[in-house]
Amino acid sequence: SAVISQKPSRDICQRGTSLTIQCQVDSQVTMMFWYRQQPGQSLTLIATANQGSEATYESGFVIDKFPISRPNLTFSTLTVSNMSPEDSSIYLCSVDRGRRNEQFFGPGTRLTVL
Amino acid sequence: ELKVEQNPLFLSMQEGKNYTIYCNYSTTSDRLYWYRQDPGKSLESLFVLLSNGAVKQEGRLMASLDTKARLSTLHITAAVHDLSATYFCAVPTNSGYALNFGKGTSLLVTP
């Protein structure tokens, strides 16, 4: 398995501001993923972050709104920029580990935008 | 576009009863994942099904995969209150690495 931590665990932010979410893994991984879970909804993939290259964004998500950094094999950040109430969600990072391609999820960051 | 459909989306069942949650997906995949999410918590991996005909069991939960029918089932046997949670199935995206999730089945087990 993998031990994944995220900071902050939750935050309440004002409209128009930005928040950077950190994801730390206890061992080196090639790929890290960022998902969004809107209230009462399923998970939607935002982007895939590989170390040393630009993140790959899914349809409907753009780099200007969700810039991602991946400076090394154990760490990534997701920034939610120019926030609006529609950005209120849980943001989760995950990693792909093991021969079974099992994906493990961090504890999530619960974001509320006022 | 890959679609993953679960049904039912909401399920209220009595303790001791059996029930099955279904997960259909729209494109070929040789892997399927089941997760559990408790309110306010992250996702807990339940099962990874890696081949056609795969069956995995853990306690009162049993999952199976039919890749030809593009169908997975999560069977609950003799439900207990502790199983109350939301259950998600997921299949790999076209890239093969990230996951595409179903809408989830919210399960409530009542006395």
Side-chain angles (χ1 to χ4, degrees):
Chain A
S1 65
V3 177
I4 306 171
S5 61
Q6 286 185 234
K7 291 182 182 179
S9 59
R10 59 178 63 228
D11 208 341
I12 301 173
C13 300
Q14 295 297 318
R15 180 195 300 260
T17 63
S18 298
L19 176 72
T20 295
I21 302 167
Q22 300 178 6
C23 179
Q24 179 77 50
V25 188
D26 66 339
S27 57
Q28 294 182 345
V29 292
T30 302
M31 291 186 169
M32 296 178 76
F33 309 96
W34 287 97
Y35 292 83
R36 179 176 73 181
Q37 187 176 27
Q38 294 177 301
Q41 302 296 315
S42 185
L43 281 77
T44 301
L45 179 66
I46 297 172
T48 300
N50 290 334
Q51 193 266 337
S53 63
E54 294 286 330
T56 303
Y57 289 82
E58 297 299 303
S59 176
F61 297 96
V62 295
I63 188 171
D64 289 347
K65 175 68 175 178
F66 298 101
I68 288 172
S69 77
R70 182 80 201 273
N72 58 53
L73 291 174
T74 62
F75 186 79
S76 179
T77 66
L78 169 75
T79 299
V80 186
S81 303
N82 188 25
M83 288 184 285
S84 67
E86 292 71 34
D87 294 319
S88 298
S89 296
I90 299 173
Y91 292 85
L92 301 106
C93 67
S94 76
V95 301
D96 186 320
R97 290 292 302 278
R99 296 167 61 185
R100 301 189 305 170
N101 298 114
E102 193 165 359
Q103 282 214 6
F104 298 95
F105 285 81
T109 295
R110 184 179 294 271
L111 171 62
T112 302
V113 184
L114 303 178
Chain B
E1 178 188 348
L2 173 60
K3 293 183 179 179
V4 183
E5 296 184 348
Q6 286 182 238
N7 70 83
L9 297 182
F10 299 96
L11 176 57
S12 179
M13 56 189 300
Q14 286 185 312
E15 284 186 328
K17 298 293 187 182
N18 304 330
Y19 207 82
T20 300
I21 299 170
Y22 297 88
C23 175
N24 290 90
Y25 52 97
S26 60
T27 63
T28 302
S29 178
D30 60 356
R31 282 179 284 146
L32 189 135
Y33 303 78
W34 283 98
Y35 288 89
R36 167 180 172 147
Q37 186 177 40
D38 292 293
K41 304 291 186 180
S42 186
L43 275 73
E44 173 191 356
S45 177
L46 293 175
F47 300 108
V48 181
L49 302 169
L50 294 175
S51 62
N52 186 42
V55 177
K56 297 280 186 72
Q57 183 164 4
E58 182 73 31
R60 301 176 188 273
L61 300 177
M62 183 173 70
S64 67
L65 177 61
D66 182 342
T67 58
K68 294 179 181 177
R70 299 177 185 171
L71 170 68
S72 180
T73 61
L74 180 66
H75 186 73
I76 303 157
T77 302
V80 292
H81 179 70
D82 286 351
L83 291 179
S84 297
T86 299
Y87 294 85
F88 293 96
C89 64
V91 296
T93 62
N94 290 337
S95 72
Y97 299 105
L99 295 178
N100 195 323
F101 284 81
K103 290 183 182 291
T105 297
S106 180
L107 171 64
L108 176 63
V109 181
T110 58

